[in-house]
Structures are given as C-alpha cells and as structure tokens.
Amino acid sequence: NAGVTQTPKFQVLKTGQSMTLQCAQDMNHEYMSWYRQDPGMGLRLIHYSVGAGITDQGEVPNGYNVSRSTTEDFPLRLLSAAPSQTSVYFCASSLEGGQGGHNEQFFGPGTRLTVL
Amino acid sequence: KQEVTQIPAALSVPEGENLVLNCSFTDSAIYNLQWFRQDPGKGLTSLLLIQSSQREQTSGRLNASLDKSSGRSTLYIAASQPGDSTTYLCAVSGVDSSYKLIFGSGTRLLVRP
C-alpha cells in the first residue's frame, strides 16, 4: 500500500490564482480530511469527508472547496489564492470516523504552498 | 472549545536519558488521544493511540498515559536516542466528532549524542 499520497510537494502561486491540491489513499478508508499547519501552531482542520459524496467544514474552511466523488480521492481547491493561505497542507485518512470505530489517522507527506 | 497545550515547546537532553513530554486538554469529553512524530519536511507518523477508556499504551521504548479527568497525557521515552530527535504532536478527538483532531503546537526534542 502507498498509504496517503499528496501532490504536488511544493507549489508557488501568485495572489488570485487557483489550484487543486491532490490527495489519494489506497487503504479503503471512509474518512478523509485536510489540515493546514502554520509556523508555531498546531494543525487546523479545513474540511473533512466521512464518505464519498459527503463533505463538511472544519475549523478554517474559508477560501477552500472540496469534493469527494470517490472513496480514494479528496482534492482541495483554492479558488483565489491569498498570501494568508501560505502554509503546509496535510491530508489524512482513517478507517472509520464514528463511535466504535478505530479511527487512527494516517497522514500524507504534505504540500508546501507559498502564495506571493 | 477544546484547546490542546504541549509543554515544553522545546527540550534538549543527552542520549540515554529518560524523558517525559506533556500534553493537556481543556475538555475531558474526548474520544481518543493520539501522539505523532513529525520529521522535518515530512508528514505525521502515528506513534500511539489511546482510546478514552484506556489508561496507557506502550510501543517499544514509548509509553503514553491518559488521565481524562485531569485533562492530561504524557509521552514517556525511555533510553532516548539521537533518532528520537523530532517534533512530537499530541491530538485529541471529541466524543461528538471522533474523526476531527485538535492538535497541540508540539514539542521539539533534541537528543544530543
């Protein structure tokens, strides 16, 4: 298993540009999520999905869109990039999310995004 | 609102020393607590996961404890090695949203040879 994969590893954007960060997992996990990590801060949840076709907002969703058309993929879209979105983005997945599930989360290697 | 704090923010110890990293959380209604290591430029690697009904988990030289009533967890590292040098993150999930993790800002550990 490749686990959780993310592309690209690095990206530089200009203010106002749009792009999609890719995330895929091959573990048949139902739950997937996106976090951002800023210097000196812990990871913060952007969006999450408990299964194909179902998405919801996390703590810091503004400026980002997600969709989940398959179990394997969970792309994160930046609609109009802003310097405040300069960060490291991590995708995560777990087998289950609900009560009674063993929801150990597995993380991808991250995408380092700079918005000029 | 759940808040997670990790103390100290940074720690430097000589090789071979036993050490403890601390994690505290403000809301005791957690589903589980997970410890991760984050190596520079890499993703997070899960070290230990403690369900809310458990008191501790062990993996090799690592032992994590959980005291829900006091809102505390500790990660004990025995006989530290230079390869243990990295950032350790603690994260909790709530009973009403067991799949959402709330992270602390981490403890950066340096083990000196």
Side-chain angles (χ1 to χ4, degrees):
Chain A
N1 286 349
V4 181
T5 57
Q6 292 184 238
T7 56
K9 285 192 168 72
F10 301 93
Q11 184 70 50
V12 179
L13 293 177
K14 294 181 180 177
T15 297
Q17 287 185 315
S18 63
M19 79 159 295
T20 299
L21 280 63
Q22 301 292 343
C23 174
Q25 52 88 12
D26 61 358
M27 299 175 281
N28 202 30
H29 283 175
E30 285 298 315
Y31 174 70
M32 297 185 74
S33 57
W34 278 100
Y35 293 84
R36 61 177 287 173
Q37 184 178 34
D38 300 303
M41 300 180 70
L43 281 73
R44 292 180 292 168
L45 182 64
I46 304 172
H47 284 287
Y48 65 96
S49 169
V50 299
I54 306 170
T55 64
D56 207 344
Q57 296 180 348
E59 182 185 358
V60 288
N62 292 342
Y64 308 96
N65 271 0
V66 292
S67 60
R68 184 97 179 269
S69 56
T70 67
T71 299
E72 294 78 20
D73 301 296
F74 190 43
L76 178 72
R77 297 183 187 85
L78 280 70
L79 307 173
S80 178
S84 61
Q85 294 179 303
T86 294
S87 189
V88 182
Y89 291 85
F90 291 100
C91 179
S93 73
S94 66
L95 184 61
E96 292 185 31
Q99 293 290 342
H102 181 72
N103 62 336
E104 179 182 6
Q105 295 207 22
F106 298 85
F107 282 77
T111 294
R112 186 173 296 272
L113 175 68
T114 301
V115 182
L116 302 175
Chain B
K1 179 184 173 185
Q2 178 74 271
E3 292 183 3
V4 179
T5 303
Q6 291 186 246
I7 294 174
L11 182 63
S12 178
V13 301
E15 182 177 1
E17 190 163 298
N18 302 327
L19 61 101
V20 173
L21 306 181
N22 296 293
C23 172
S24 61
F25 45 95
T26 55
D27 186 349
S28 62
I30 65 168
Y31 184 64
N32 62 32
L33 183 145
Q34 204 165 348
W35 282 94
F36 297 87
R37 63 177 285 161
Q38 182 178 21
D39 299 304
K42 296 187 178 179
L44 282 66
T45 302
S46 179
L47 296 172
L48 290 164
L49 181 146
I50 310 178
Q51 302 290 352
S52 61
S53 58
Q54 297 175 321
R55 295 283 293 183
E56 66 176 346
Q57 282 285 332
T58 298
S59 176
R61 294 181 295 107
L62 304 180
N63 175 277
S65 69
L66 174 63
D67 184 343
K68 261 200 340 175
S69 60
S70 67
R72 293 183 181 181
S73 175
T74 61
L75 180 66
Y76 175 82
I77 302 177
S80 59
Q81 303 171 358
D84 296 328
S85 299
T86 189
T87 297
Y88 292 85
L89 296 172
C90 161
V92 300
S93 63
V95 292
D96 58 344
S97 53
S98 59
Y99 32 79
K100 300 183 194 176
L101 293 180
I102 307 296
F103 281 85
S105 54
T107 293
R108 193 169 62 254
L109 173 66
L110 174 65
V111 180
R112 307 186 304 273

